[in-house]
Amino acid sequence: MSQPTGQIEPQTLYSLEEFKQVSGMGNWALRQARKAGLKMLKIGNRKFVKGQAFIDFLDSQNNETSN
């Protein structure tokens, strides 16, 4: 797993490569997150992740494990 190099900003739109670098997530973890509900934007052949979408995803995962 990569080491995170920053923090996720809610108002920032990250390319998939930028997001992987900032979050420290690898391809497998990102694929699992997407299957679990992480929303991504697709423009042409490129995918992007909104910082707020990732924060919302983490909150939803936390709520599921708490219940």
Side-chain angles (χ1 to χ4, degrees), residues 3-37:
Q3 292 297 318
T5 59
Q7 68 182 50
I8 303 295
E9 297 293 336
Q11 71 282 5
T12 303
L13 182 66
Y14 299 93
S15 71
L16 214 48
E17 289 304 315
E18 289 173 327
F19 182 75
K20 287 193 293 188
Q21 183 179 19
V22 173
S23 69
M25 295 176 76
N27 290 330
W28 185 85
L30 200 51
R31 222 176 342 224
Q32 295 303 328
R34 187 169 180 213
K35 287 179 183 178

PDB file of all heavy atoms in Angstrom, residues 3-37:
ATOM      1  N   GLN A   3       2.049   5.130   0.662  1.00  0.00           N
ATOM      2  CA  GLN A   3       1.950   6.033   1.798  1.00  0.00           C
ATOM      3  C   GLN A   3       1.198   7.287   1.377  1.00  0.00           C
ATOM      4  O   GLN A   3       1.487   7.864   0.343  1.00  0.00           O
ATOM      5  CB  GLN A   3       3.348   6.424   2.300  1.00  0.00           C
ATOM      6  CG  GLN A   3       4.100   5.273   2.914  1.00  0.00           C
ATOM      7  CD  GLN A   3       3.406   4.739   4.151  1.00  0.00           C
ATOM      8  OE1 GLN A   3       2.921   5.477   4.980  1.00  0.00           O
ATOM      9  NE2 GLN A   3       3.341   3.428   4.258  1.00  0.00           N
ATOM     10  N   PRO A   4       0.207   7.728   2.168  1.00  0.00           N
ATOM     11  CA  PRO A   4      -0.503   8.955   1.825  1.00  0.00           C
ATOM     12  C   PRO A   4       0.438  10.146   1.857  1.00  0.00           C
ATOM     13  O   PRO A   4       1.350  10.200   2.678  1.00  0.00           O
ATOM     14  CB  PRO A   4      -1.574   9.082   2.902  1.00  0.00           C
ATOM     15  CG  PRO A   4      -1.357   7.992   3.871  1.00  0.00           C
ATOM     16  CD  PRO A   4      -0.286   7.093   3.364  1.00  0.00           C
ATOM     17  N   THR A   5       0.220  11.069   0.949  1.00  0.00           N
ATOM     18  CA  THR A   5       1.103  12.235   0.884  1.00  0.00           C
ATOM     19  C   THR A   5       0.384  13.529   1.210  1.00  0.00           C
ATOM     20  O   THR A   5       0.957  14.593   1.079  1.00  0.00           O
ATOM     21  CB  THR A   5       1.726  12.359  -0.518  1.00  0.00           C
ATOM     22  OG1 THR A   5       0.666  12.492  -1.462  1.00  0.00           O
ATOM     23  CG2 THR A   5       2.586  11.161  -0.847  1.00  0.00           C
ATOM     24  N   GLY A   6      -0.856  13.465   1.606  1.00  0.00           N
ATOM     25  CA  GLY A   6      -1.592  14.691   1.907  1.00  0.00           C
ATOM     26  C   GLY A   6      -2.897  14.354   2.576  1.00  0.00           C
ATOM     27  O   GLY A   6      -3.093  13.254   3.067  1.00  0.00           O
ATOM     28  N   GLN A   7      -3.784  15.320   2.570  1.00  0.00           N
ATOM     29  CA  GLN A   7      -5.103  15.066   3.124  1.00  0.00           C
ATOM     30  C   GLN A   7      -6.136  15.340   2.058  1.00  0.00           C
ATOM     31  O   GLN A   7      -5.898  16.117   1.134  1.00  0.00           O
ATOM     32  CB  GLN A   7      -5.353  15.899   4.375  1.00  0.00           C
ATOM     33  CG  GLN A   7      -5.463  17.385   4.135  1.00  0.00           C
ATOM     34  CD  GLN A   7      -5.657  18.118   5.446  1.00  0.00           C
ATOM     35  OE1 GLN A   7      -4.910  17.903   6.387  1.00  0.00           O
ATOM     36  NE2 GLN A   7      -6.642  18.970   5.501  1.00  0.00           N
ATOM     37  N   ILE A   8      -7.267  14.702   2.177  1.00  0.00           N
ATOM     38  CA  ILE A   8      -8.344  14.852   1.209  1.00  0.00           C
ATOM     39  C   ILE A   8      -9.091  16.144   1.525  1.00  0.00           C
ATOM     40  O   ILE A   8      -9.570  16.335   2.636  1.00  0.00           O
ATOM     41  CB  ILE A   8      -9.309  13.646   1.278  1.00  0.00           C
ATOM     42  CG1 ILE A   8      -8.567  12.338   1.039  1.00  0.00           C
ATOM     43  CG2 ILE A   8     -10.467  13.828   0.305  1.00  0.00           C
ATOM     44  CD1 ILE A   8      -7.971  12.170  -0.324  1.00  0.00           C
ATOM     45  N   GLU A   9      -9.181  17.008   0.534  1.00  0.00           N
ATOM     46  CA  GLU A   9      -9.908  18.268   0.673  1.00  0.00           C
ATOM     47  C   GLU A   9     -11.298  18.096   0.066  1.00  0.00           C
ATOM     48  O   GLU A   9     -11.416  17.659  -1.085  1.00  0.00           O
ATOM     49  CB  GLU A   9      -9.170  19.393  -0.059  1.00  0.00           C
ATOM     50  CG  GLU A   9      -7.798  19.700   0.505  1.00  0.00           C
ATOM     51  CD  GLU A   9      -7.845  20.302   1.900  1.00  0.00           C
ATOM     52  OE1 GLU A   9      -8.886  20.902   2.267  1.00  0.00           O
ATOM     53  OE2 GLU A   9      -6.860  20.148   2.632  1.00  0.00           O
ATOM     54  N   PRO A  10     -12.362  18.428   0.803  1.00  0.00           N
ATOM     55  CA  PRO A  10     -13.730  18.192   0.312  1.00  0.00           C
ATOM     56  C   PRO A  10     -14.041  18.883  -1.016  1.00  0.00           C
ATOM     57  O   PRO A  10     -14.763  18.339  -1.841  1.00  0.00           O
ATOM     58  CB  PRO A  10     -14.615  18.772   1.417  1.00  0.00           C
ATOM     59  CG  PRO A  10     -13.753  18.890   2.600  1.00  0.00           C
ATOM     60  CD  PRO A  10     -12.336  19.000   2.123  1.00  0.00           C
ATOM     61  N   GLN A  11     -13.515  20.046  -1.247  1.00  0.00           N
ATOM     62  CA  GLN A  11     -13.854  20.817  -2.443  1.00  0.00           C
ATOM     63  C   GLN A  11     -12.973  20.487  -3.648  1.00  0.00           C
ATOM     64  O   GLN A  11     -13.163  21.056  -4.713  1.00  0.00           O
ATOM     65  CB  GLN A  11     -13.795  22.328  -2.155  1.00  0.00           C
ATOM     66  CG  GLN A  11     -12.399  22.874  -1.955  1.00  0.00           C
ATOM     67  CD  GLN A  11     -11.774  22.611  -0.586  1.00  0.00           C
ATOM     68  OE1 GLN A  11     -12.326  21.921   0.243  1.00  0.00           O
ATOM     69  NE2 GLN A  11     -10.597  23.165  -0.367  1.00  0.00           N
ATOM     70  N   THR A  12     -12.050  19.540  -3.525  1.00  0.00           N
ATOM     71  CA  THR A  12     -11.100  19.234  -4.598  1.00  0.00           C
ATOM     72  C   THR A  12     -11.572  18.042  -5.421  1.00  0.00           C
ATOM     73  O   THR A  12     -12.097  17.075  -4.892  1.00  0.00           O
ATOM     74  CB  THR A  12      -9.713  18.947  -3.999  1.00  0.00           C
ATOM     75  OG1 THR A  12      -9.301  20.081  -3.234  1.00  0.00           O
ATOM     76  CG2 THR A  12      -8.682  18.681  -5.075  1.00  0.00           C
ATOM     77  N   LEU A  13     -11.363  18.139  -6.731  1.00  0.00           N
ATOM     78  CA  LEU A  13     -11.628  17.043  -7.652  1.00  0.00           C
ATOM     79  C   LEU A  13     -10.282  16.420  -8.002  1.00  0.00           C
ATOM     80  O   LEU A  13      -9.389  17.096  -8.510  1.00  0.00           O
ATOM     81  CB  LEU A  13     -12.322  17.565  -8.914  1.00  0.00           C
ATOM     82  CG  LEU A  13     -12.712  16.526  -9.945  1.00  0.00           C
ATOM     83  CD1 LEU A  13     -13.784  15.598  -9.380  1.00  0.00           C
ATOM     84  CD2 LEU A  13     -13.232  17.223 -11.203  1.00  0.00           C
ATOM     85  N   TYR A  14     -10.123  15.137  -7.702  1.00  0.00           N
ATOM     86  CA  TYR A  14      -8.855  14.440  -7.899  1.00  0.00           C
ATOM     87  C   TYR A  14      -8.951  13.498  -9.093  1.00  0.00           C
ATOM     88  O   TYR A  14      -9.927  12.754  -9.210  1.00  0.00           O
ATOM     89  CB  TYR A  14      -8.509  13.589  -6.668  1.00  0.00           C
ATOM     90  CG  TYR A  14      -8.339  14.378  -5.402  1.00  0.00           C
ATOM     91  CD1 TYR A  14      -9.400  14.572  -4.524  1.00  0.00           C
ATOM     92  CD2 TYR A  14      -7.112  14.930  -5.078  1.00  0.00           C
ATOM     93  CE1 TYR A  14      -9.251  15.295  -3.358  1.00  0.00           C
ATOM     94  CE2 TYR A  14      -6.945  15.651  -3.907  1.00  0.00           C
ATOM     95  CZ  TYR A  14      -8.015  15.834  -3.061  1.00  0.00           C
ATOM     96  OH  TYR A  14      -7.851  16.558  -1.915  1.00  0.00           O
ATOM     97  N   SER A  15      -7.924  13.502  -9.940  1.00  0.00           N
ATOM     98  CA  SER A  15      -7.838  12.445 -10.942  1.00  0.00           C
ATOM     99  C   SER A  15      -7.583  11.154 -10.167  1.00  0.00           C
ATOM    100  O   SER A  15      -7.169  11.180  -9.007  1.00  0.00           O
ATOM    101  CB  SER A  15      -6.707  12.706 -11.928  1.00  0.00           C
ATOM    102  OG  SER A  15      -5.446  12.521 -11.299  1.00  0.00           O
ATOM    103  N   LEU A  16      -7.830  10.027 -10.791  1.00  0.00           N
ATOM    104  CA  LEU A  16      -7.658   8.754 -10.101  1.00  0.00           C
ATOM    105  C   LEU A  16      -6.226   8.588  -9.584  1.00  0.00           C
ATOM    106  O   LEU A  16      -6.017   8.140  -8.454  1.00  0.00           O
ATOM    107  CB  LEU A  16      -8.021   7.603 -11.047  1.00  0.00           C
ATOM    108  CG  LEU A  16      -8.659   6.387 -10.437  1.00  0.00           C
ATOM    109  CD1 LEU A  16      -9.789   6.732  -9.499  1.00  0.00           C
ATOM    110  CD2 LEU A  16      -9.110   5.441 -11.510  1.00  0.00           C
ATOM    111  N   GLU A  17      -5.252   8.959 -10.394  1.00  0.00           N
ATOM    112  CA  GLU A  17      -3.848   8.841  -9.967  1.00  0.00           C
ATOM    113  C   GLU A  17      -3.543   9.771  -8.798  1.00  0.00           C
ATOM    114  O   GLU A  17      -2.861   9.381  -7.848  1.00  0.00           O
ATOM    115  CB  GLU A  17      -2.905   9.112 -11.137  1.00  0.00           C
ATOM    116  CG  GLU A  17      -2.902   8.010 -12.170  1.00  0.00           C
ATOM    117  CD  GLU A  17      -2.564   6.642 -11.579  1.00  0.00           C
ATOM    118  OE1 GLU A  17      -1.615   6.528 -10.789  1.00  0.00           O
ATOM    119  OE2 GLU A  17      -3.273   5.674 -11.913  1.00  0.00           O
ATOM    120  N   GLU A  18      -4.031  11.011  -8.850  1.00  0.00           N
ATOM    121  CA  GLU A  18      -3.830  11.946  -7.734  1.00  0.00           C
ATOM    122  C   GLU A  18      -4.486  11.403  -6.472  1.00  0.00           C
ATOM    123  O   GLU A  18      -3.909  11.462  -5.388  1.00  0.00           O
ATOM    124  CB  GLU A  18      -4.440  13.311  -8.053  1.00  0.00           C
ATOM    125  CG  GLU A  18      -3.728  14.103  -9.089  1.00  0.00           C
ATOM    126  CD  GLU A  18      -4.492  15.357  -9.465  1.00  0.00           C
ATOM    127  OE1 GLU A  18      -5.734  15.358  -9.457  1.00  0.00           O
ATOM    128  OE2 GLU A  18      -3.827  16.355  -9.775  1.00  0.00           O
ATOM    129  N   PHE A  19      -5.696  10.880  -6.629  1.00  0.00           N
ATOM    130  CA  PHE A  19      -6.431  10.366  -5.477  1.00  0.00           C
ATOM    131  C   PHE A  19      -5.698   9.198  -4.829  1.00  0.00           C
ATOM    132  O   PHE A  19      -5.581   9.133  -3.608  1.00  0.00           O
ATOM    133  CB  PHE A  19      -7.844   9.949  -5.887  1.00  0.00           C
ATOM    134  CG  PHE A  19      -8.648   9.455  -4.737  1.00  0.00           C
ATOM    135  CD1 PHE A  19      -9.161  10.334  -3.803  1.00  0.00           C
ATOM    136  CD2 PHE A  19      -8.872   8.102  -4.570  1.00  0.00           C
ATOM    137  CE1 PHE A  19      -9.883   9.882  -2.719  1.00  0.00           C
ATOM    138  CE2 PHE A  19      -9.596   7.632  -3.492  1.00  0.00           C
ATOM    139  CZ  PHE A  19     -10.105   8.528  -2.565  1.00  0.00           C
ATOM    140  N   LYS A  20      -5.191   8.294  -5.640  1.00  0.00           N
ATOM    141  CA  LYS A  20      -4.442   7.160  -5.097  1.00  0.00           C
ATOM    142  C   LYS A  20      -3.211   7.642  -4.338  1.00  0.00           C
ATOM    143  O   LYS A  20      -2.884   7.107  -3.277  1.00  0.00           O
ATOM    144  CB  LYS A  20      -4.042   6.187  -6.211  1.00  0.00           C
ATOM    145  CG  LYS A  20      -5.213   5.384  -6.739  1.00  0.00           C
ATOM    146  CD  LYS A  20      -4.803   4.223  -7.602  1.00  0.00           C
ATOM    147  CE  LYS A  20      -4.182   4.645  -8.888  1.00  0.00           C
ATOM    148  NZ  LYS A  20      -3.939   3.526  -9.813  1.00  0.00           N
ATOM    149  N   GLN A  21      -2.545   8.650  -4.867  1.00  0.00           N
ATOM    150  CA  GLN A  21      -1.344   9.165  -4.203  1.00  0.00           C
ATOM    151  C   GLN A  21      -1.696   9.839  -2.880  1.00  0.00           C
ATOM    152  O   GLN A  21      -1.053   9.590  -1.858  1.00  0.00           O
ATOM    153  CB  GLN A  21      -0.628  10.143  -5.126  1.00  0.00           C
ATOM    154  CG  GLN A  21       0.666  10.656  -4.541  1.00  0.00           C
ATOM    155  CD  GLN A  21       1.380  11.605  -5.486  1.00  0.00           C
ATOM    156  OE1 GLN A  21       0.792  12.147  -6.403  1.00  0.00           O
ATOM    157  NE2 GLN A  21       2.648  11.796  -5.244  1.00  0.00           N
ATOM    158  N   VAL A  22      -2.717  10.681  -2.877  1.00  0.00           N
ATOM    159  CA  VAL A  22      -3.075  11.427  -1.672  1.00  0.00           C
ATOM    160  C   VAL A  22      -3.672  10.506  -0.609  1.00  0.00           C
ATOM    161  O   VAL A  22      -3.364  10.630   0.573  1.00  0.00           O
ATOM    162  CB  VAL A  22      -4.060  12.571  -2.015  1.00  0.00           C
ATOM    163  CG1 VAL A  22      -4.584  13.243  -0.765  1.00  0.00           C
ATOM    164  CG2 VAL A  22      -3.378  13.595  -2.905  1.00  0.00           C
ATOM    165  N   SER A  23      -4.522   9.567  -1.036  1.00  0.00           N
ATOM    166  CA  SER A  23      -5.203   8.701  -0.066  1.00  0.00           C
ATOM    167  C   SER A  23      -4.338   7.538   0.390  1.00  0.00           C
ATOM    168  O   SER A  23      -4.593   6.956   1.440  1.00  0.00           O
ATOM    169  CB  SER A  23      -6.492   8.156  -0.676  1.00  0.00           C
ATOM    170  OG  SER A  23      -6.204   7.239  -1.717  1.00  0.00           O
ATOM    171  N   GLY A  24      -3.352   7.164  -0.436  1.00  0.00           N
ATOM    172  CA  GLY A  24      -2.529   6.019  -0.105  1.00  0.00           C
ATOM    173  C   GLY A  24      -3.173   4.701  -0.497  1.00  0.00           C
ATOM    174  O   GLY A  24      -2.679   3.633  -0.146  1.00  0.00           O
ATOM    175  N   MET A  25      -4.282   4.769  -1.221  1.00  0.00           N
ATOM    176  CA  MET A  25      -4.979   3.552  -1.644  1.00  0.00           C
ATOM    177  C   MET A  25      -4.362   3.010  -2.925  1.00  0.00           C
ATOM    178  O   MET A  25      -3.980   3.765  -3.801  1.00  0.00           O
ATOM    179  CB  MET A  25      -6.466   3.845  -1.884  1.00  0.00           C
ATOM    180  CG  MET A  25      -7.205   4.243  -0.624  1.00  0.00           C
ATOM    181  SD  MET A  25      -8.912   4.700  -0.953  1.00  0.00           S
ATOM    182  CE  MET A  25      -9.641   3.094  -1.183  1.00  0.00           C
ATOM    183  N   GLY A  26      -4.305   1.692  -3.010  1.00  0.00           N
ATOM    184  CA  GLY A  26      -3.836   1.042  -4.222  1.00  0.00           C
ATOM    185  C   GLY A  26      -5.012   0.691  -5.122  1.00  0.00           C
ATOM    186  O   GLY A  26      -6.170   0.969  -4.800  1.00  0.00           O
ATOM    187  N   ASN A  27      -4.723   0.054  -6.253  1.00  0.00           N
ATOM    188  CA  ASN A  27      -5.768  -0.303  -7.207  1.00  0.00           C
ATOM    189  C   ASN A  27      -6.821  -1.214  -6.596  1.00  0.00           C
ATOM    190  O   ASN A  27      -8.015  -1.011  -6.790  1.00  0.00           O
ATOM    191  CB  ASN A  27      -5.158  -0.978  -8.442  1.00  0.00           C
ATOM    192  CG  ASN A  27      -4.376  -0.005  -9.285  1.00  0.00           C
ATOM    193  OD1 ASN A  27      -4.681   1.180  -9.340  1.00  0.00           O
ATOM    194  ND2 ASN A  27      -3.346  -0.497  -9.941  1.00  0.00           N
ATOM    195  N   TRP A  28      -6.379  -2.240  -5.859  1.00  0.00           N
ATOM    196  CA  TRP A  28      -7.322  -3.190  -5.284  1.00  0.00           C
ATOM    197  C   TRP A  28      -8.246  -2.509  -4.274  1.00  0.00           C
ATOM    198  O   TRP A  28      -9.467  -2.700  -4.304  1.00  0.00           O
ATOM    199  CB  TRP A  28      -6.574  -4.348  -4.619  1.00  0.00           C
ATOM    200  CG  TRP A  28      -7.504  -5.404  -4.107  1.00  0.00           C
ATOM    201  CD1 TRP A  28      -8.020  -6.437  -4.811  1.00  0.00           C
ATOM    202  CD2 TRP A  28      -8.031  -5.506  -2.785  1.00  0.00           C
ATOM    203  NE1 TRP A  28      -8.848  -7.198  -4.008  1.00  0.00           N
ATOM    204  CE2 TRP A  28      -8.875  -6.637  -2.763  1.00  0.00           C
ATOM    205  CE3 TRP A  28      -7.887  -4.759  -1.626  1.00  0.00           C
ATOM    206  CZ2 TRP A  28      -9.562  -7.030  -1.619  1.00  0.00           C
ATOM    207  CZ3 TRP A  28      -8.571  -5.157  -0.495  1.00  0.00           C
ATOM    208  CH2 TRP A  28      -9.390  -6.280  -0.490  1.00  0.00           C
ATOM    209  N   ALA A  29      -7.684  -1.724  -3.378  1.00  0.00           N
ATOM    210  CA  ALA A  29      -8.491  -1.040  -2.358  1.00  0.00           C
ATOM    211  C   ALA A  29      -9.475  -0.074  -3.000  1.00  0.00           C
ATOM    212  O   ALA A  29     -10.626   0.040  -2.563  1.00  0.00           O
ATOM    213  CB  ALA A  29      -7.586  -0.295  -1.381  1.00  0.00           C
ATOM    214  N   LEU A  30      -9.041   0.607  -4.039  1.00  0.00           N
ATOM    215  CA  LEU A  30      -9.920   1.549  -4.728  1.00  0.00           C
ATOM    216  C   LEU A  30     -11.065   0.813  -5.430  1.00  0.00           C
ATOM    217  O   LEU A  30     -12.213   1.257  -5.395  1.00  0.00           O
ATOM    218  CB  LEU A  30      -9.102   2.362  -5.737  1.00  0.00           C
ATOM    219  CG  LEU A  30      -9.704   3.663  -6.199  1.00  0.00           C
ATOM    220  CD1 LEU A  30     -10.151   4.536  -5.045  1.00  0.00           C
ATOM    221  CD2 LEU A  30      -8.714   4.415  -7.056  1.00  0.00           C
ATOM    222  N   ARG A  31     -10.769  -0.329  -6.017  1.00  0.00           N
ATOM    223  CA  ARG A  31     -11.805  -1.141  -6.664  1.00  0.00           C
ATOM    224  C   ARG A  31     -12.831  -1.616  -5.628  1.00  0.00           C
ATOM    225  O   ARG A  31     -14.035  -1.588  -5.872  1.00  0.00           O
ATOM    226  CB  ARG A  31     -11.162  -2.345  -7.348  1.00  0.00           C
ATOM    227  CG  ARG A  31     -11.734  -2.644  -8.704  1.00  0.00           C
ATOM    228  CD  ARG A  31     -11.006  -3.778  -9.377  1.00  0.00           C
ATOM    229  NE  ARG A  31      -9.760  -3.958  -8.733  1.00  0.00           N
ATOM    230  CZ  ARG A  31      -8.539  -4.161  -9.224  1.00  0.00           C
ATOM    231  NH1 ARG A  31      -8.347  -4.313 -10.337  1.00  0.00           N
ATOM    232  NH2 ARG A  31      -7.456  -4.273  -8.590  1.00  0.00           N
ATOM    233  N   GLN A  32     -12.336  -2.047  -4.472  1.00  0.00           N
ATOM    234  CA  GLN A  32     -13.241  -2.497  -3.408  1.00  0.00           C
ATOM    235  C   GLN A  32     -14.101  -1.338  -2.897  1.00  0.00           C
ATOM    236  O   GLN A  32     -15.291  -1.513  -2.623  1.00  0.00           O
ATOM    237  CB  GLN A  32     -12.445  -3.114  -2.251  1.00  0.00           C
ATOM    238  CG  GLN A  32     -11.709  -4.373  -2.614  1.00  0.00           C
ATOM    239  CD  GLN A  32     -12.611  -5.458  -3.155  1.00  0.00           C
ATOM    240  OE1 GLN A  32     -13.770  -5.579  -2.790  1.00  0.00           O
ATOM    241  NE2 GLN A  32     -12.085  -6.254  -4.064  1.00  0.00           N
ATOM    242  N   ALA A  33     -13.509  -0.168  -2.759  1.00  0.00           N
ATOM    243  CA  ALA A  33     -14.262   1.009  -2.302  1.00  0.00           C
ATOM    244  C   ALA A  33     -15.347   1.368  -3.313  1.00  0.00           C
ATOM    245  O   ALA A  33     -16.474   1.700  -2.933  1.00  0.00           O
ATOM    246  CB  ALA A  33     -13.321   2.190  -2.090  1.00  0.00           C
ATOM    247  N   ARG A  34     -15.022   1.275  -4.579  1.00  0.00           N
ATOM    248  CA  ARG A  34     -16.007   1.586  -5.618  1.00  0.00           C
ATOM    249  C   ARG A  34     -17.164   0.591  -5.558  1.00  0.00           C
ATOM    250  O   ARG A  34     -18.322   0.965  -5.655  1.00  0.00           O
ATOM    251  CB  ARG A  34     -15.348   1.565  -6.986  1.00  0.00           C
ATOM    252  CG  ARG A  34     -16.271   2.030  -8.069  1.00  0.00           C
ATOM    253  CD  ARG A  34     -15.521   2.259  -9.346  1.00  0.00           C
ATOM    254  NE  ARG A  34     -16.462   2.707 -10.354  1.00  0.00           N
ATOM    255  CZ  ARG A  34     -16.367   2.420 -11.625  1.00  0.00           C
ATOM    256  NH1 ARG A  34     -15.357   1.703 -12.063  1.00  0.00           N
ATOM    257  NH2 ARG A  34     -17.248   2.860 -12.479  1.00  0.00           N
ATOM    258  N   LYS A  35     -16.857  -0.682  -5.374  1.00  0.00           N
ATOM    259  CA  LYS A  35     -17.902  -1.700  -5.260  1.00  0.00           C
ATOM    260  C   LYS A  35     -18.767  -1.462  -4.028  1.00  0.00           C
ATOM    261  O   LYS A  35     -19.949  -1.785  -4.025  1.00  0.00           O
ATOM    262  CB  LYS A  35     -17.289  -3.099  -5.182  1.00  0.00           C
ATOM    263  CG  LYS A  35     -16.731  -3.591  -6.490  1.00  0.00           C
ATOM    264  CD  LYS A  35     -16.120  -4.972  -6.321  1.00  0.00           C
ATOM    265  CE  LYS A  35     -15.481  -5.451  -7.604  1.00  0.00           C
ATOM    266  NZ  LYS A  35     -14.849  -6.771  -7.442  1.00  0.00           N
ATOM    267  N   ALA A  36     -18.161  -0.892  -2.992  1.00  0.00           N
ATOM    268  CA  ALA A  36     -18.877  -0.632  -1.740  1.00  0.00           C
ATOM    269  C   ALA A  36     -19.629   0.694  -1.764  1.00  0.00           C
ATOM    270  O   ALA A  36     -20.310   1.031  -0.800  1.00  0.00           O
ATOM    271  CB  ALA A  36     -17.898  -0.653  -0.569  1.00  0.00           C
ATOM    272  N   GLY A  37     -19.503   1.458  -2.866  1.00  0.00           N
ATOM    273  CA  GLY A  37     -20.318   2.671  -2.977  1.00  0.00           C
ATOM    274  C   GLY A  37     -19.586   3.974  -3.198  1.00  0.00           C
ATOM    275  O   GLY A  37     -20.233   5.025  -3.279  1.00  0.00           O
TER     276      GLY A  37
END
